Amino acid sequence: MRFDTLAVHGGERVPGPEGSVVFPIFQGTVFTSEPGESYHDIKYHRLNSTPSQVYLHDKLAALEGAEAAVATSSGMAAVTTILHTLLGAGDHLLVSDVLYGGTHDFVTAHAARLGWEYSVIDPQAPDSWEVRQNTRAILVETITNPLLRVGRLRDVVSFARTNGIVSVIDNTFASPVNFRPLVAGFDLVFNSATKYLNGHSDVVAGSVAGSTALVEKVRHTLNLYGGTLDPHAGYLLARSLKTLGVRVRQQNANALALAEFLVGSSKVGAVNYPGLPGHPDHEHASELLNGFGGMLSFRLAGGAEAAEVFLSALTLPAVAPSLGGVDTLITRPAFTSHAGMSAEDRAAAGITDDLIRLSVGIEDVEDLIADFATALDKV
Ligand code: PLP
């Protein structure tokens, strides 16, 4: 089955309980058990084993092309549970130099306390990557925030295989519509399902997918750490997954059209979007990805002051952090997602006060472009 068919039919039970075409929410936490069942197989909500959960896991696995998947209570629960599964005291981890702020803060603030060692790698420079005897995993992101860089992901896969370490990727910005990491050879993929997978800015959730053996290990860790997704949130997520392809393709198309519009404006200084031929990763991103995603960032020629005027002149996008929903959102990362970094670190990473980040929704792109044109006239 192709992606959109999997999105609708993947993981579905036919016939559903009581003939229901839509899989219901099993709100109950307690189920009868069989003698001899292992702790992790008893049906209990925190153990991620109830019918609604297993249904969602099967749907997520279908979309990722995975043997198995497990949902978590947030994207952060996904990444922290993965790392706690793969690493013990004395182990070493390779991490990308650009990571989502929460992931970056978790690794930098907690690794030493947990007895983990880590080294930071440049995902664009495979020749500089080195393992140690105790290296267990490498962690990268598909498309980075907020400069939208795409690393040498095929090299990450071959490097991990050659060195016998686990390759882990945060695919939140791409979603499985634009990139299926397991099909490309990664061992584990995770998402902040809060973003594109749910896509309506009304659920916080995460997903992890990979081989049955690895996902079972992650689920057992999750069962003990307790980062379980609530059944109502799981229901909303499963429902949203059915429209994932339709939504993300519209977001890809809208983002490309907006990026091209912005490039053509004399008021705009620089536009970061991997779908533009001038983007430093355009060539290998074109080979890797099915679409370039709904995220872009740009700077106005008038700098931070112009950015402030521009944001307040827009009428359609909400000025808000987060991303991946059907509504267009706009933010200045230096004041939201990256406000926790020092000004020097932000400057070194290119996240200056004038940088504007856009999460493009599914509105009619002509309306978005008209709104942007009017706001640019006021700058
Ligand atoms: N990974 C990326 C790329 C993100 O953007 C986020 C949140 O913004 C996360 C992980 C964490 O996800 P959550 O907020 O669902 O915990």
Side-chain angles (χ1 to χ4, degrees):
M1 283 191 274
R2 293 180 177 78
F3 192 87
D4 285 342
T5 315
L6 282 173
V8 177
H9 294 283
E12 295 298 326
R13 288 10 182 183
V14 183
E18 303 290 333
S20 176
V21 174
V22 175
F23 199 81
I25 303 172
F26 279 76
Q27 182 64 45
T29 54
V30 183
F31 293 77
T32 53
S33 61
E34 302 291 329
E37 268 178 332
S38 88
Y39 173 71
H40 293 284
D41 292 328
I42 293 168
K43 284 199 193 74
Y44 179 60
H45 206 85
R46 186 193 20 94
L47 298 177
N48 301 289
S49 54
T50 66
S52 299
Q53 291 172 306
V54 176
Y55 158 70
L56 173 61
H57 298 164
D58 289 350
K59 199 162 201 67
L60 286 167
L63 288 181
E64 297 283 12
E67 279 177 16
V70 64
T72 60
S73 56
S74 67
M76 284 310 299
V79 62
T80 54
T81 306
I82 288 172
L83 294 179
H84 277 285
T85 305
L86 299 179
L87 301 170
D91 288 339
H92 175 246
L93 169 72
L94 294 169
V95 289
S96 166
D97 58 2
V98 186
L99 287 175
Y100 166 65
T103 311
H104 170 270
D105 290 354
F106 173 69
V107 171
T108 53
H110 290 267
R113 191 177 59 77
L114 294 161
W116 305 346
E117 296 166 16
Y118 69 93
S119 306
V120 175
I121 57 142
D122 174 357
Q124 305 293 343
D127 291 345
S128 64
W129 307 341
E130 279 174 16
V131 284
R132 299 179 187 166
Q133 211 195 341
N134 55 345
T135 308
R136 300 284 171 256
I138 180 167
L139 169 63
V140 295
E141 296 183 356
T142 311
I143 306 177
T144 64
N145 178 28
L147 296 177
L148 293 314
R149 298 296 308 262
V150 179
R152 301 285 161 169
L153 303 181
R154 293 211 190 282
D155 291 301
V156 174
V157 168
S158 49
F159 177 82
R161 286 200 178 152
T162 307
N163 292 291
I165 62 173
V166 181
S167 51
V168 183
I169 187 162
D170 179 339
N171 199 40
T172 301
F173 268 45
S175 90
V177 181
N178 290 328
F179 186 53
R180 297 221 288 173
L182 301 175
V183 177
F186 276 88
D187 296 310
L188 276 176
V189 56
F190 71 93
N191 279 267
S192 166
T194 314
K195 312 300 190 292
Y196 289 100
L197 297 193
N198 182 65
H200 294 76
S201 307
D202 55 6
V203 161
V204 169
S207 69
V208 179
S211 66
T212 304
L214 269 176
V215 171
E216 269 307 273
K217 282 187 190 162
V218 172
R219 185 174 73 89
H220 288 193
T221 311
L222 186 70
N223 291 349
L224 300 177
Y225 279 73
T228 297
L229 186 65
D230 165 82
H232 280 269
Y235 176 85
L236 288 174
L237 175 56
R239 186 183 64 166
S240 298
L241 288 175
K242 294 185 185 183
T243 57
L244 181 63
V246 179
R247 285 186 280 109
V248 171
R249 281 196 303 277
Q250 173 91 1
Q251 287 165 313
N252 288 344
N254 283 0
L256 181 60
L258 267 171
E260 285 169 347
F261 163 77
L262 291 167
V263 164
S265 166
S266 59
K267 302 262 176 88
V268 178
V271 182
N272 305 306
Y273 185 64
L276 292 174
H279 186 280
D281 307 322
H282 179 66
E283 212 168 296
H284 71 265
S286 306
E287 183 261 320
L288 267 174
L289 308 177
N290 301 318
F292 299 105
M295 301 297 298
L296 59 100
S297 63
F298 58 101
R299 300 173 204 277
L300 297 183
E305 247 172 67
E308 212 170 308
V309 175
F310 174 72
L311 257 61
S312 49
L314 287 169
T315 61
L316 283 177
V319 179
S322 200
L323 61 123
V326 292
D327 309 56
T328 297
L329 302 178
I330 196 156
T331 185
R332 284 203 285 160
F335 300 97
T336 53
S337 52
H338 295 72
M341 282 168 85
S342 70
E344 297 81 56
D345 286 352
R346 274 202 303 270
I351 306 163
T352 43
D353 290 0
D354 58 340
L355 188 73
I356 300 171
R357 190 195 76 176
L358 189 63
S359 167
V360 184
I362 63 164
E363 299 92 337
D364 189 309
V365 76
E366 295 303 324
D367 291 329
L368 288 173
I369 289 176
D371 195 30
F372 273 56
T374 309
L376 283 175
D377 283 344
K378 298 191 175 143
V379 167

